[in-house]
Amino acid sequence: MTELSNDRKRYRFSEAPIWELLREYYEQEGLDAWRNDGIPQYVTSNPMIAAAYTDMIVAFLLDRQQQGGARETIYIVEIGAGAGRLAGHILHELCRVRDEVVEGLPSFRYVMTDLAADSVAAWQQHPALQTYVAQGVLDLARFDAMADTALQLAVSGETLQADRLQEPIVLIANYFFDSLPQELIRLEDGKVYEADIELIPVAPDGQTGTDYPKEIGTQFQQQSEQQASDIDDRARSASHRLNELRIEYTYRHAPEYEQADHRYADLLTLYRQQLDDAYVLLPWASIDCLQRLNRLSKAGFVLITADKGEHLLDGWRLEEPPELTLHGGGGFSLNANYHAIGYVFGEQGAEVLFPPHHYTGINVGCMLNVAQPRRYSGLRMAYDRSAARFGPDEFFSLKRWIDERLDEMELAPWLAFWRLGNYDAEFFIQSTERLSELLTEANDEEYLDLLHGIERMWSSHYVMAQRYDLALDTGLLLFEMEQYEQAKHYLQQSVAEEQEETVPTVFYCLAICCLELGELEQAGEYLEQLLAVEPEHGEAQALMEALREGELD
């Protein structure tokens, strides 16, 4: 850190307080960071991408079995599992494949990890994960990506430490590398200039101040002295605090990057030769994290990852320094440098797989940091089929197009796209109004396919604190389909989960369901609840009177 006049300070980019702000945000918020997509997670945590990852994981397990390996449990470790949604979907798919598709699938155990201890505790209580814990296919651990060298498993009590495993470990990292500290350099005439940043507070009128706000200027130097007084301040999101700052960049010549004995001299030489007059992010922290995880197994690792990040060298011909992407609910991210990560491990013998084309929204890659990676033909084929040819990035490009034309879709293509997305709940929710319109013209086969899809959707649904009520939307649609028994099940679930916000319509639909099923006493109970909140509801009054007079017996 460099001291400037008027108590202003300049920081090396990777050591600036912004990274501590981000770390605090995740530790303080836990699972709440992902509430209502405050931190983006849907694109990398939905049933479609889970199915693609499952294809690759299953292919890897079978490759190991064919090679005479897989004699011990193979660990699948998700780094930064966040809300737990991706893990829930992958475990559902893995267990379905194990039970229904592939006989004799090698033993596996999925380990969800996160920085926030509160998140690990919350996963232990999540109903969708309990069955996997009971089966012994799921464990949990807190993991600090910046320091930890071992995983202390919360369920089994085991410790995964250096050389503990004989089988390669499978690592999953979605929207992970874009949140770790990076170095920022500028390349010019073969020389390397490292970025320092100054954080300048911006007043409400847009004028810049001369002093750092308390949480920026002193929190990170005197944290132990002011922990108690800063508790409320830290509850503010990193994103909101960054909105109060303007970042100014300065660059200083850094000859250490030009030395032949630099740890990553070959990569830096390539950049100096090929990327003149460009800005580049260097993911040293990400590489270090992967190297520490690599030591857990004597046989290396396979990485499956998705993020905003360029794997092509040309993608790093940046004419301006990259900007922080601020997220509405809190936090920020920077593009991951997949090219650098792949280059470093590729030089050590890994095979690095990325699409041959540019990505649009998320880049999905696979790295085989194992002996003789070309022997893993099943995994390499699965990657080609599930990611490179048509994968999650292509799916969401298509979904964006469909979202704009949803009101024009007919039921047959809607069902086809729903199946392509592996019966995604969010696509169903955004489509309920259109589905209601289409029911009047649906044929018997489409009705049956819709019912089957609802069952598949719910079998893998991962409940989160969200702004929508899937049980309500499902129950109301089934009510329109005159599937009264199933409608009643989901509407009752909605009432149980949203007791303080239940709308009168739900009680009315439940009463009708019970009447259709011959459950007159329960129908009366729902009508009473409806009339308690809406005494003038004419239809409910008429039905209640008919019940009392025995006209509905």
Side-chain angles (χ1 to χ4, degrees), residues 222-274:
Q222 302 172 0
Q223 189 169 10
S224 60
E225 299 178 6
Q226 50 184 82
Q227 277 184 341
S229 63
D230 279 354
I231 289 176
D232 291 338
D233 183 62
R234 287 202 302 267
R236 298 171 61 209
S237 74
S239 176
H240 295 159
R241 294 152 86 180
L242 285 166
N243 275 323
E244 299 169 357
L245 298 170
R246 177 166 58 84
I247 298 178
E248 283 194 357
Y249 297 86
T250 57
Y251 295 88
R252 52 181 167 73
H253 184 217
E256 63 271 21
Y257 286 91
E258 302 162 10
Q259 303 304 311
D261 60 352
H262 190 281
R263 186 179 181 185
Y264 303 112
D266 290 346
L267 173 66
L268 292 166
T269 298
L270 175 68
Y271 285 172
R272 289 164 57 204
Q273 293 174 347
Q274 300 293 324

Side-chain angles (χ1 to χ4, degrees), residues 10 60 176 206 231 247 286-287 344 372 376 443 448 451 520:
R10 185 175 293 150
F60 169 74
F176 173 72
I231 289 176
I247 298 178
S286 297
I287 293 170
V344 168
Q372 298 180 285
Y376 291 81
N443 58 43
L448 291 173
L451 291 172
L520 303 187

Side-chain angles (χ1 to χ4, degrees), residues 1-45:
M1 181 178 67
T2 303
E3 296 284 348
L4 303 177
S5 60
N6 297 322
D7 295 326
R8 289 164 57 176
K9 302 172 180 66
R10 185 175 293 150
Y11 302 87
R12 186 180 182 185
F13 187 74
S14 64
E15 299 171 356
I18 56 174
W19 302 106
E20 190 65 24
L21 281 173
L22 185 61
R23 181 185 179 91
E24 283 185 2
Y25 172 71
Y26 283 118
E27 287 195 283
Q28 291 287 323
E29 294 294 315
L31 296 191
D32 285 342
W34 285 268
R35 183 186 295 271
N36 289 329
D37 291 333
I39 295 293
Q41 48 83 27
Y42 171 68
V43 173
T44 57
S45 301

Side-chain angles (χ1 to χ4, degrees), residues 71 280 290 299 350 362 364 425 436 517 532 540:
R71 296 176 182 175
V280 180
L290 290 174
I362 53 168
V364 179
S436 179
L517 296 170

Side-chain angles (χ1 to χ4, degrees), residues 28 30 52 196 263 266 289 324 333 340 383 461 490 530-531 543:
Q28 291 287 323
D196 292 330
R263 186 179 181 185
D266 290 346
C289 174
L324 302 179
S333 59
Y383 175 80
H461 179 53
Y490 290 112
L530 168 55
L531 291 169
L543 285 174

